[in-house]
Amino acid sequence: MKTPSNSSLLFILLLVIFSCSWAVSSHEHDDFLQCLSLQSNNHSSISNIVYTPKNSSYLSILNFSIQNLRFESVTTPKPLVIITPVHESQIQPVIYCAKENGMQIRVRSGGHDYEGLSYTSQVPFVIIDLVNLREINVDVEKKTAWIQAGARLGELYYRIAEKSRTLGFPGGVCPTVGAGGHISGGGYGTLIRKYGLAADHVIDARIIDVNGRILDRISMGEDLFWAIRGGGAASFGVILAWKLELVDVPEKVTVFTIAKTLEQNATNIVHRWQYVAHKLDEDLAVRVFISRVNSSQDGRRTIQASFQSLFLGGVDRLLPLMQQSFPELGLQREDCTEMSWIESALYIYGLPVGSLEVLQNRTQANVRHFKAKVDYVQKPISKNGLEGIWKRFFEDEAEEAEMLFVPYGGRMDEVSESSIPFPHRAGNLYQIHYMVNWDEEEASERYINWIRRLYSYMASYVSKFPRAAYINYRDLDIGVNNKGNTSYTQASIWGRKYFKNNFKRLVQVKTMVDPSNFFRNEQSIPSIYSRWTKNGK
């Protein structure tokens, strides 16, 4: 008879623990549903948007917006209830009943939270899944748009393009990211040097607070309006919609991608890029992808740096700019393609430049396990430092890893770091986004350890005191709230990395609007009055 492996025994043990915790929570689940029925004006309508483990479609609803397979395993804690509202008024009873029954709420717009905090919890919880709240209204004359929190960025870009090819929005590159979370954390894309962040262009919002009130900018006040634009709205309430200021884009933009391997002088070119990318014309953003490839010459492993660019103008203006500022890249006319801004949204994400309908897809084609981290670079990394990165990319775990260098400068240097909670402005040359992907769940620890080693190596080359981070690239490695008392001191360990000096003001706003700390997770802004108890009340 075959003896079970240690990993098999651990898996069985986790299943038993999870099953027991589910049984303990079942009475809370029943009480919550009864409360929801009593609080809802139309019982039949609320029952159509409630999913429990007894529903055959429960898992498909849960998994639809999971964008990281690390959090889709059998042992990942599951919600007792999933609510998929089709109207704002259906959310208010959920908040009331969750408070009454000591259950936490997780709010999911697109499911791209890097640590799965929009759909997982270690205590009994309910998911408010905003997947059905996806209406978008574009006003070309006023250059504004209202977008509900469950709409995806690709849907926003598509709707803008339907009305105008000379308007755009400085949001993220990935079209399946939800507007609710993306914008509330800051949000950026290839227009960052020209227009700054997505959150810089929010002019109104709708949010449900802890008391179930639906607030707009006027009724919520400027403090809360400041906090939700970059401070993570999930700490303060349930974001419903954003009113956005759209931006002008030319009829034609120019894109290019040039790849250089180590044998093609990649180290020197990347090193030079650090000195010029943040100083280029604000219409020009050149980002760099670092990955491991097989050499086309002899098939051996090498490092490749891919320089990908969006220029807000034609090729005739781009070429002399590049020749003057960054001749080392060797850009030629044949490397460049002119297209509309909306077509560039397809190109930059690696989609075929053709039908725009693909921007309306709500899920990614290839969801995998991944772990990611972020850094900010304020002084160029030496060539020796870059070679140390290459060395780590030759390790086995880096086969499907990448680093992305995103240039700052331009508009990012002009906006005050306290204008909104996102503080990473002037003084940063570029941002680094690290990511490693894998397929086998049992290999997770090995790949996560690899990216942690890389991150540790980078410590001397990046921002310090604090080593800055970005809330939309959430990383629980940098610190979490205590499960006992949520203290300012404990939360500031991670909070100052995300928000620097803005963290103190965020805590003050949180204390004012949610003193009992109802809206919380492992990295939520704490109320200074809050105390965690066993049942979360």
Side-chain angles (χ1 to χ4, degrees):
M1 181 176 178
K2 188 177 179 181
T3 303
S5 66
N6 290 336
S7 60
S8 298
L9 290 171
L10 177 60
F11 179 76
I12 294 169
L13 178 61
L14 288 170
L15 278 179
V16 171
I17 293 172
F18 179 68
S19 299
C20 291
S21 65
W22 190 283
V24 170
S25 303
S26 62
H27 74 279
E28 294 167 322
H29 157 276
D30 294 337
D31 291 346
F32 172 82
L33 292 178
Q34 183 177 9
C35 174
L36 201 60
S37 177
L38 293 172
Q39 291 296 317
S40 302
N41 294 327
N42 188 331
H43 175 71
S44 61
S45 104
I46 200 76
S47 65
N48 292 331
I49 61 167
V50 175
Y51 299 87
T52 73
K54 296 178 182 179
N55 296 111
S56 59
S57 52
Y58 168 85
L59 278 180
S60 64
I61 295 294
L62 175 62
N63 294 338
F64 179 77
S65 295
I66 290 181
Q67 310 293 348
N68 189 343
L69 292 186
R70 285 171 58 205
F71 308 109
E72 197 184 69
S73 70
V74 175
T75 56
T76 300
K78 304 294 191 296
L80 298 176
V81 184
I82 304 171
I83 312 290
T84 58
V86 295
H87 190 273
E88 295 174 349
S89 63
Q90 294 171 325
I91 299 174
Q92 293 157 311
V94 180
I95 295 174
Y96 175 82
C97 294
K99 287 195 298 181
E100 286 295 300
N101 290 278
M103 298 172 70
Q104 284 193 14
I105 281 179
R106 293 290 187 264
V107 182
R108 181 166 72 174
S109 57
H112 283 263
D113 187 293
Y114 275 16
E115 297 283 10
L117 297 192
S118 63
Y119 52 88
T120 65
S121 176
Q122 299 302 315
V123 298
F125 72 108
V126 177
I127 290 178
I128 299 176
D129 193 328
L130 303 177
V131 63
N132 294 321
L133 297 181
R134 53 186 292 201
E135 186 176 343
I136 301 170
N137 293 306
V138 177
D139 188 328
V140 172
E141 290 187 5
K142 294 182 179 179
K143 296 183 180 180
T144 61
W146 271 104
I147 178 171
Q148 287 189 300
R152 308 305 203 243
L153 296 181
E155 293 176 303
L156 171 63
Y157 303 153
Y158 181 89
R159 295 302 173 198
I160 295 172
E162 273 188 327
K163 299 277 187 80
S164 171
R165 292 300 177 98
T166 57
L167 288 176
F169 186 71
V173 168
C174 178
T176 60
V177 168
H182 178 73
I183 296 172
S184 81
Y188 74 90
T190 51
L191 295 177
I192 185 172
R193 301 193 65 252
K194 177 71 172 182
Y195 291 115
L197 306 178
D200 292 333
H201 296 267
V202 173
I203 55 179
D204 202 347
R206 290 172 60 80
I207 189 172
I208 302 182
D209 73 359
V210 68
N211 298 311
R213 299 177 300 171
I214 297 179
L215 308 174
D216 62 8
R217 179 174 183 172
I218 293 175
S219 55
M220 77 176 74
E222 288 301 302
D223 284 332
L224 181 54
F225 185 63
W226 173 85
I228 62 176
R229 292 175 296 145
S235 291
F236 304 94
V238 179
I239 195 71
L240 299 172
W242 304 105
K243 186 178 184 180
L244 309 175
E245 173 189 59
L246 305 183
V247 301
D248 294 317
V249 294
E251 290 186 3
K252 284 187 177 181
V253 303
T254 304
V255 298
F256 68 78
T257 302
I258 295 178
K260 300 289 186 180
T261 63
L262 295 184
E263 296 76 16
Q264 296 169 319
N265 205 28
T267 303
N268 288 330
I269 299 174
V270 171
H271 184 256
R272 178 60 182 160
W273 174 91
Q274 298 178 99
Y275 290 86
V276 302
H278 65 290
K279 297 178 181 178
L280 294 172
D281 188 294
E282 65 178 12
D283 288 338
L284 177 59
V286 182
R287 58 187 197 157
V288 186
F289 286 92
I290 305 297
S291 62
R292 190 178 82 203
V293 298
N294 292 325
S295 172
S296 59
Q297 299 175 357
D298 54 19
R300 291 191 298 178
R301 293 177 176 180
T302 188
I303 304 302
Q304 177 176 276
S306 295
F307 297 82
Q308 186 188 63
S309 176
L310 171 67
F311 176 63
L312 299 176
V315 65
D316 289 335
R317 188 160 75 93
L318 171 62
L319 289 173
L321 282 175
M322 287 293 292
Q323 184 57 40
Q324 178 183 1
S325 302
F326 195 19
E328 294 83 358
L329 188 58
L331 180 68
Q332 302 296 318
R333 181 175 292 270
E334 53 267 28
D335 299 319
C336 303
T337 304
E338 292 184 340
M339 59 182 62
S340 65
W341 176 79
I342 190 63
E343 289 173 325
S344 77
L346 298 171
Y347 173 88
I348 293 294
Y349 191 62
L351 297 170
V353 179
S355 172
L356 300 181
E357 297 296 327
V358 68
L359 290 173
Q360 298 198 86
N361 290 348
R362 312 209 76 210
T363 57
Q364 296 189 99
N366 186 23
V367 179
R368 306 179 67 192
H369 301 77
F370 74 84
K371 173 68 178 176
K373 291 180 173 290
V374 68
D375 264 319
Y376 289 86
V377 177
Q378 298 170 339
K379 294 181 180 179
I381 300 173
S382 66
K383 292 181 184 178
N384 284 340
L386 293 174
E387 289 168 354
I389 298 173
W390 311 160
K391 177 181 178 182
R392 285 153 180 82
F393 266 76
F394 282 118
E395 296 175 7
D396 290 343
E397 293 83 2
E399 181 179 2
E400 295 190 63
E402 70 174 27
M403 293 171 69
L404 170 61
F405 297 175
V406 178
Y408 271 40
R411 180 61 180 159
M412 293 299 284
D413 283 350
E414 299 168 358
V415 179
S416 164
E417 68 176 29
S418 61
S419 173
I420 63 173
F422 181 98
H424 315 301
R425 304 284 188 167
N428 293 293
L429 303 181
Y430 61 98
Q431 178 201 79
I432 299 178
H433 177 256
Y434 313 84
M435 179 174 282
V436 61
N437 298 278
W438 65 95
D439 293 316
E440 309 84 11
E441 182 180 343
E442 60 272 17
S444 294
E445 184 177 359
R446 185 159 58 90
Y447 288 94
I448 292 172
N449 286 339
W450 177 85
I451 200 171
R452 286 171 175 165
R453 292 196 304 272
L454 174 61
Y455 184 75
S456 177
Y457 165 76
M458 293 295 294
S460 62
Y461 299 106
V462 298
S463 62
K464 300 175 180 65
F465 311 116
R467 184 175 183 176
Y470 173 38
I471 188 66
N472 277 2
Y473 295 155
R474 192 187 300 279
D475 182 5
L476 296 185
D477 290 350
I478 68 172
V480 295
N481 293 334
N482 285 334
K483 290 185 179 180
N485 293 337
T486 307
S487 69
Y488 176 89
T489 301
Q490 180 69 23
S492 65
I493 294 172
W494 58 264
R496 292 193 67 249
K497 294 174 184 178
Y498 286 140
F499 306 114
K500 296 187 179 179
N501 292 333
N502 294 330
F503 179 67
K504 182 177 181 180
R505 184 179 175 188
L506 286 169
V507 172
Q508 291 171 341
V509 176
K510 171 72 170 183
T511 303
M512 177 177 64
V513 302
D514 183 17
S516 65
N517 201 35
F518 172 69
F519 292 109
R520 65 185 183 271
N521 59 46
E522 287 83 346
Q523 282 188 346
S524 58
I525 304 296
S527 162
I528 59 174
Y529 299 133
S530 66
R531 291 293 182 268
W532 291 55
T533 60
K534 185 175 181 181
N535 68 354
K537 295 179 71 173

